Amino acid sequence: GNPDALLRWCAGLVRMMYRWTVWRHENVLVFSSRAQPADARSGVEIIPVNLDFLARLSLRYPQFLTEEKLRDSRARLKSGDLAYLVRRGDQKTSVLWLGMRSEISVAEIAPDFRLSLVVPALVIYRVWTPPHFRPTDVSSEFFDALAKYCEREVWTYCLGRQRTLLRALENAGFQARYRVQHYALLHWFQRTQISSLDGMA
């Protein structure tokens, strides 16, 4: 083979390992919706989901909704969290999980990281899509319709690198409220900076 090409490949591999194991930077945007009345003309159907529905769904997608995940879903529903099937015809379908929270957990930064909210609010904390869609394929109309259906402010977050999800939230009228920047150098240095984006154009 070409020694120069091999050298470049090795250098690229070292840089990638450095970024993921030595130095890490995560950029997170936290969004909230604006409470608006529901629009029946949107064509988006929203159905509250119970455990029986999830059990039937697991028969269709057993590798994605395992018995362990069903037990977890049961506990979430029992605790008062909500799940909604959001769909438009037979083309797109998602299940979105919401719960009343006084803080937002961002596991991508750290398992114990929490962003406190001024007042408790509904938070979208999990999105499930069929295996032929990625979570970032949830369309803006789904977020818009769900926020209107709830008729109250809804919060969620996305990573800065999730460009498709970022655009979907912005197109749905969600407003970026906070930016969270997390820097980590091995286990020796970690810093998290939270900036309020209220008032930005």
Side-chain angles (χ1 to χ4, degrees), residues 94-105:
S94 297
V95 175
L96 284 77
W97 283 87
L98 299 90
M100 287 296 298
R101 300 287 190 271
S102 58
E103 56 189 17
I104 296 179
S105 303

Side-chain angles (χ1 to χ4, degrees), residues 178-189:
Y178 295 97
R179 182 188 301 275
V180 183
Q181 303 271 5
H182 180 73
Y183 306 88
L185 178 62
L186 291 175
H187 297 291
W188 304 323
F189 168 79

Side-chain angles (χ1 to χ4, degrees), residues 75-179:
R76 291 177 184 276
L77 291 170
K78 191 173 182 179
S79 71
D81 285 0
L82 305 168
Y84 293 101
L85 173 73
V86 186
R87 66 186 180 192
R88 185 179 183 91
D90 295 326
Q91 303 304 312
K92 292 185 178 181
T93 301
S94 297
V95 175
L96 284 77
W97 283 87
L98 299 90
M100 287 296 298
R101 300 287 190 271
S102 58
E103 56 189 17
I104 296 179
S105 303
V106 185
E108 288 83 358
I109 288 179
D112 58 347
F113 177 82
R114 304 287 189 273
L115 175 66
S116 296
L117 301 176
V118 177
V119 295
L122 273 177
V123 175
I124 300 173
Y125 64 84
R126 179 176 295 178
V127 177
W128 180 88
T129 56
H132 52 282
F133 289 116
R134 297 169 300 173
T136 52
D137 287 332
V138 180
S139 62
S140 60
E141 61 184 354
F142 281 13
F143 287 112
D144 177 60
L146 186 60
K148 290 176 178 177
Y149 177 89
C150 294
E151 296 185 328
R152 64 174 66 186
E153 193 176 47
V154 177
W155 289 71
T156 191
Y157 75 90
C158 79
L159 306 182
R161 62 177 181 268
Q162 295 176 311
R163 300 296 183 185
T164 304
L165 181 57
L166 179 63
R167 286 194 298 270
L169 289 168
E170 291 175 339
N171 291 338
F174 280 64
Q175 178 184 359
R177 301 290 296 275
Y178 295 97
R179 182 188 301 275

